[in-house]
Amino acid sequence: TTRGFAGIFHAALDGLAPADILAVPGDITARLNLAEVVSPLRLRGAAALLGRIQRQVRELVATTAAR
């Protein structure tokens, strides 16, 4: 579920440097072979969630750099 993926991403990304978060590949779910156990709809949700996290990190970095 989305909540489950959010928890996984939180556990994996919490405390990492912004560059490390942005370096996570968008196809991470495919690289982990999750398509064998998770529906395509859930995988798209996970990809969208990661994309949102990375977008927010980029925005935060840009805001911090502009100061």
Side-chain angles (χ1 to χ4, degrees):
T1 67
T2 303
R3 184 175 290 174
F5 279 120
I8 291 168
F9 285 139
H10 180 266
L13 303 176
D14 188 40
L16 293 182
D20 293 331
I21 295 171
L22 297 175
V24 175
D27 67 343
I28 189 69
T29 56
R31 291 178 185 218
L32 296 173
N33 294 319
L34 294 180
E36 296 175 14
V37 293
V38 180
S39 73
L41 181 62
R42 300 281 189 210
L43 294 176
R44 284 192 298 276
L49 182 59
L50 177 60
R52 181 176 181 178
I53 292 167
Q54 290 176 325
R55 184 179 71 246
Q56 289 175 338
V57 168
R58 278 191 293 276
E59 290 170 358
L60 181 63
V61 168
T63 301
T64 304
R67 292 183 183 176

